Amino acid sequence: QVQLVESGGGLVQAGGSLRLSCAASGSMFSRNTMGWYRQAPGRQRELVATISSGGRTNLAYSVKGRFTISRDNAKNTVYLQMSSLKVEDTAVYYCYFSHGFGGPDYWGQGTQVTVSS
């Protein structure tokens, strides 16, 4: 019922910035949670950031102070602004959508972020 399309990934130098977008469509309803996971080769998938429909946010300790999650409800889009990027941030980033405040119900296709030294 919900489709998520991600964009904004790419190659960036360490210390640089990148903004990911996740556009949602379908039967989203008013109360929901969206966010981002990331997964690097050979590593477990890691929850990076979440944001509720009310604007409450949570960030992983590893990205706190460098990443910002936000949403534009008029555009049905969630953003992940990544600054001061590190090589360790290299991963495939997956957007997700959850009805209410539960676990992920829908996933984006993933977008590659590569940070070079």
Side-chain angles (χ1 to χ4, degrees):
Q1 288 189 296
V2 177
Q3 296 79 46
L4 304 173
V5 179
E6 302 179 40
S7 62
L11 175 64
V12 65
Q13 293 282 328
S17 299
L18 207 60
R19 188 175 78 159
L20 306 183
S21 299
C22 179
S25 62
S27 302
M28 292 170 285
F29 301 102
S30 58
R31 297 178 71 256
N32 58 73
T33 303
M34 297 183 68
W36 300 82
Y37 282 80
R38 67 185 181 186
Q39 188 166 30
R43 304 174 74 94
Q44 294 184 337
R45 185 172 295 189
E46 174 190 21
L47 180 61
V48 178
T50 66
I51 185 167
S52 72
S53 51
R56 294 179 179 266
T57 62
N58 283 288
L59 295 168
Y61 176 80
S62 60
V63 305
K64 190 170 294 185
R66 300 187 298 117
F67 290 13
T68 300
I69 187 169
S70 62
R71 62 191 295 164
D72 185 337
N73 290 331
K75 296 182 178 180
N76 296 320
T77 300
V78 173
Y79 305 96
L80 185 66
Q81 178 65 53
M82 305 182 293
S83 300
S84 301
L85 281 162
K86 304 175 180 179
V87 173
E88 307 92 89
D89 296 318
T90 296
V92 177
Y93 285 70
Y94 296 91
C95 176
Y96 79 89
F97 177 97
S98 174
H99 291 295
F101 305 104
D105 296 308
Y106 303 94
W107 293 91
Q109 81 280 10
T111 185
Q112 176 71 49
V113 172
T114 302
V115 184
S116 65
S117 60

